[in-house]
Amino acid sequence: MIMKDKYDYIVIGAGSAGCVVANRLTEDAETTVLLLEAGNPPNLPEHEIPLAWTKLWGTEADWAYFTEEEPYINNRKIYCPRGKVLGGTSAINAMIYIRGSRLDYDHWEKLGNVGWSYEDVLPYFQKSENQQRGASEFHGVDGLLSVTDPLAPSVISQKFLEAAIGLGYERNPDFNGTQQHGAGFYQLTIKDGKRHSTATAFLLPILERPNLTVTTGALVTRLLFEGTQTVGVEYIHQGTIHQVRVEQEVILSAGAIDSPKLLMLSGIGNAEHLQNFDIPVVVDLPGVGQNLQDHILVGVAHEATQDLQPDLTSNIAEVGLFLHTEGRLDAVPDLQFFSGPVLWTHPAYARSAPGFTATVCVTNPESRGSVSLSSAFSKDPAIIRMNYLQSESDLQKLLAGVKIIRQIFHSSVFDELRGEEAAPGADNKSDETLLAYIRETCDSVYHPVGTCKMGTDADSVVNPELRVHGVAGLRVVDASIMPTITTGNTNAPTIMIGEKAADLIKAAA
């Protein structure tokens, strides 16, 4: 075993939040930071090509997790890609930049998380952002993260927008502006036509800072404690076990699957669960790994009467719609739609033909899952149970969404482009058969959050300063701290969490 030098801070995970934290902490030349990442630098051409993001699944840049058999969706195991690379999941995702509803954050504050209201977090969204449209009351231009409009949206995406507006949905030019409801094009984390991950934006430009050490291919196996004081971490690098001590704090930014896993492996979690694996209990914290939430979607796909090959700068899901199923504009939208110029179906409905697809997801699912240990060994993946569609409300909202997509696609706007409905199929009309289709084909939007919930109640894992309850010198900074999932894609909120956490850490130094 090799003991390395001490660092002021150790950040575990160079993902959407970890890269931000490492950047901000090392702005002070006197502060030393060790950033540990289990993956490697992005070295595949697909990392830069927006259109190629799905080709990164199952590569060395992906943990390629699966859930357990999901009992409410025909016992299917659902794929759960997670970034194993500098940039984390921001290096393999669909690049959509959505902050969520202002009501999401006001709700967090009402749950007892002082300092996390919309007015509190908006400056941190702005701080990160280099918004191509210019500065405004909602947007910043001095940040490191490029946020842009689609460079070459497809005709299908333009038709989707036209059809949605024709059905009475409001045109929304900025989902991150005054309101979230309505139809519009998604903004993307792209720069000069290439993906702009948090590694590209926040980490690669500062690798020469002498106070920053980045170690890739480093699998953290456990946190080290003296009593309840965090004193360092243990990790495996090139087959050798290393231990490194920390002077100030360890920042755990391994994501909603691996952050709770590492806490449990280190003795923080439900005592009974840990004792099953003979893991010494540091803190009995039953909320670790609970409260798992994810967005679930289902699609409607049509063959097209002409080839609709998307541009290389397309993220596929170019255009969208947010709405409330009861038509309320004073409530958080409960459905989010994505549409693009590809035939994207469950394998049972696959066709080799040009086409277009729209999908709908429930933005505020009631279903809750968990992450738990499969063993006491860090190399063994965690047990992931999402419990998708456990809630009847989630199922009924997806049904409503399928019907809305059909309305949009059967608008006269699509008459010249619309071929046969590939999925669920024109004969699939009754609620009963559509519900069966949803259970058969629904899939993840790949937004797991919530497993190290921020709060002050007995089920919370971190407090509003993101410190882990019951121990000193340890914070969690990633999507796992969300008490409730945000309305829309979760990458932008996770970057914001990194920005805000960096200020919290600096203030406590």
Side-chain angles (χ1 to χ4, degrees), residues 273-506:
H273 181 55
L274 302 184
Q275 288 162 356
N276 288 339
F277 299 103
D278 296 322
I279 297 172
V281 177
V282 176
V283 181
D284 181 10
L285 208 56
V288 174
Q290 302 302 304
N291 193 48
L292 177 60
Q293 300 155 61
D294 189 16
H295 291 135
I296 187 76
L297 58 69
V298 69
V300 175
H302 275 270
E303 289 192 13
T305 58
Q306 57 184 264
D307 191 10
L308 300 168
Q309 182 61 37
D311 190 79
L312 288 176
T313 63
S314 170
N315 74 321
I316 301 175
E318 299 173 344
V319 68
L321 169 66
F322 284 92
L323 61 83
H324 192 278
T325 46
E326 296 176 1
R328 292 178 55 190
L329 294 178
D330 62 340
V332 172
D334 54 11
L335 292 180
Q336 179 185 8
F337 298 78
F338 309 88
S339 185
V342 294
L343 200 62
W344 189 323
T345 66
H346 183 275
Y349 296 82
R351 303 185 182 193
S352 57
F356 52 92
T357 306
T359 57
V360 58
C361 82
V362 180
T363 63
N364 53 357
E366 295 180 356
S367 303
R368 295 290 185 270
S370 65
V371 172
S372 56
L373 295 179
S374 62
S375 79
F377 301 102
S378 57
K379 290 187 177 181
D380 293 336
I383 296 171
I384 305 169
R385 292 187 172 91
M386 293 289 189
N387 289 326
Y388 292 122
L389 302 189
Q390 177 187 47
S391 163
E392 179 67 19
S393 170
D394 296 350
L395 180 63
Q396 292 299 322
K397 286 178 181 177
L398 285 183
L399 176 62
V402 167
K403 294 177 179 179
I404 290 168
I405 294 174
R406 279 182 157 175
Q407 284 183 313
I408 291 173
F409 280 169
H410 282 85
S411 162
S412 60
V413 169
F414 281 98
D415 284 352
E416 293 184 1
L417 289 169
R418 184 179 56 245
E420 183 181 2
E421 185 179 278
D427 295 335
N428 201 335
K429 295 179 180 178
S430 70
D431 284 2
E432 182 179 6
T433 58
L434 288 175
L435 290 172
Y437 166 77
I438 291 169
R439 291 191 182 94
E440 176 192 11
T441 66
C442 66
D443 207 344
S444 173
V445 198
Y446 318 120
H447 297 160
V449 307
T451 49
C452 298
K453 184 181 78 167
M454 174 175 59
T456 57
D457 61 343
D459 295 326
S460 63
V461 176
V462 300
N463 69 13
E465 288 75 44
L466 308 186
R467 292 189 174 100
V468 176
H469 293 304
V471 295
L474 177 61
R475 299 191 207 224
V476 179
V477 179
D478 57 34
S480 70
I481 67 96
M482 295 184 187
T484 52
I485 197 167
T486 52
T487 307
N489 306 69
T490 51
N491 191 50
T494 305
I495 294 169
M496 175 277 292
I497 289 167
E499 290 280 21
K500 183 171 171 61
D503 271 4
L504 291 171
I505 295 163
K506 288 179 177 181

Side-chain angles (χ1 to χ4, degrees), residues 12 34 43 53 127 147 160 189 265 302 354 383 412 458 465 503:
I12 302 171
L34 171 64
N43 56 11
W53 62 273
K127 182 177 182 178
V147 179
F160 182 95
T189 51
L265 288 173
H302 275 270
I383 296 171
S412 60
E465 288 75 44
D503 271 4

Side-chain angles (χ1 to χ4, degrees), residues 7-246:
Y7 295 85
D8 292 323
Y9 299 95
I10 301 172
V11 181
I12 302 171
S16 295
C19 288
V20 177
V21 172
N23 180 300
R24 299 307 187 191
L25 293 183
T26 55
E27 288 174 337
D28 178 357
E30 301 301 314
T31 299
T32 59
V33 172
L34 171 64
L35 177 60
L36 298 171
E37 167 57 44
N40 293 303
N43 56 11
L44 300 171
E46 289 83 3
H47 281 294
E48 291 193 340
I49 302 170
L51 183 64
W53 62 273
T54 60
K55 293 182 179 179
L56 294 166
W57 293 351
T59 68
E60 64 177 21
D62 177 16
W63 287 101
Y65 294 139
F66 280 86
T67 71
E68 298 298 292
E69 292 183 350
E70 295 288 343
Y72 308 100
I73 56 172
N74 301 350
N75 293 316
R76 292 185 292 130
K77 292 186 175 183
I78 300 299
Y79 183 48
C80 185
R82 296 285 87 199
K84 185 182 180 183
V85 62
L86 290 181
T89 305
S90 78
I92 68 170
N93 69 359
M95 295 152 285
I96 293 175
Y97 183 85
I98 289 288
R99 297 172 177 177
S101 167
R102 67 172 58 223
L103 298 177
D104 294 334
Y105 304 102
D106 290 344
H107 178 60
W108 289 7
E109 185 175 59
K110 288 176 183 176
L111 292 174
N113 297 297
V114 175
W116 289 88
S117 72
Y118 178 74
E119 293 301 323
D120 291 317
V121 302
L122 177 59
Y124 290 106
F125 283 115
Q126 293 170 309
K127 182 177 182 178
S128 286
E129 186 182 29
N130 182 0
Q131 168 61 248
Q132 79 157 41
R133 298 179 185 174
S136 71
E137 65 175 306
F138 297 107
H139 295 289
V141 294
D142 297 323
L144 299 171
L145 184 72
S146 176
V147 179
T148 66
D149 294 309
L151 289 175
S154 70
V155 63
I156 281 294
S157 299
Q158 297 172 45
K159 296 288 187 184
F160 182 95
L161 183 57
E162 184 181 347
I165 293 170
L167 288 172
Y169 299 109
E170 185 178 346
R171 170 79 164 95
N172 189 342
D174 184 4
F175 291 129
N176 302 304
T178 305
Q179 66 163 15
Q180 200 174 16
H181 296 263
F185 286 103
Y186 287 117
Q187 286 209 295
L188 308 167
T189 51
I190 288 176
K191 183 177 182 180
D192 300 328
K194 299 177 180 179
R195 171 191 296 276
H196 210 224
S197 72
T198 56
T200 307
F202 291 89
L203 186 62
L204 299 184
I206 64 162
L207 289 179
E208 298 305 313
R209 285 181 183 171
N211 56 332
L212 172 65
T213 301
V214 179
T215 304
T216 56
L219 178 66
V220 177
T221 55
R222 64 187 175 113
L223 309 171
L224 303 177
F225 297 96
E226 291 177 359
T228 57
Q229 175 68 48
T230 313
V231 296
V233 306
E234 180 180 276
Y235 66 95
I236 299 173
H237 183 245
Q238 296 179 347
T240 301
I241 297 176
H242 300 262
Q243 288 190 347
V244 58
R245 293 182 67 86
V246 70

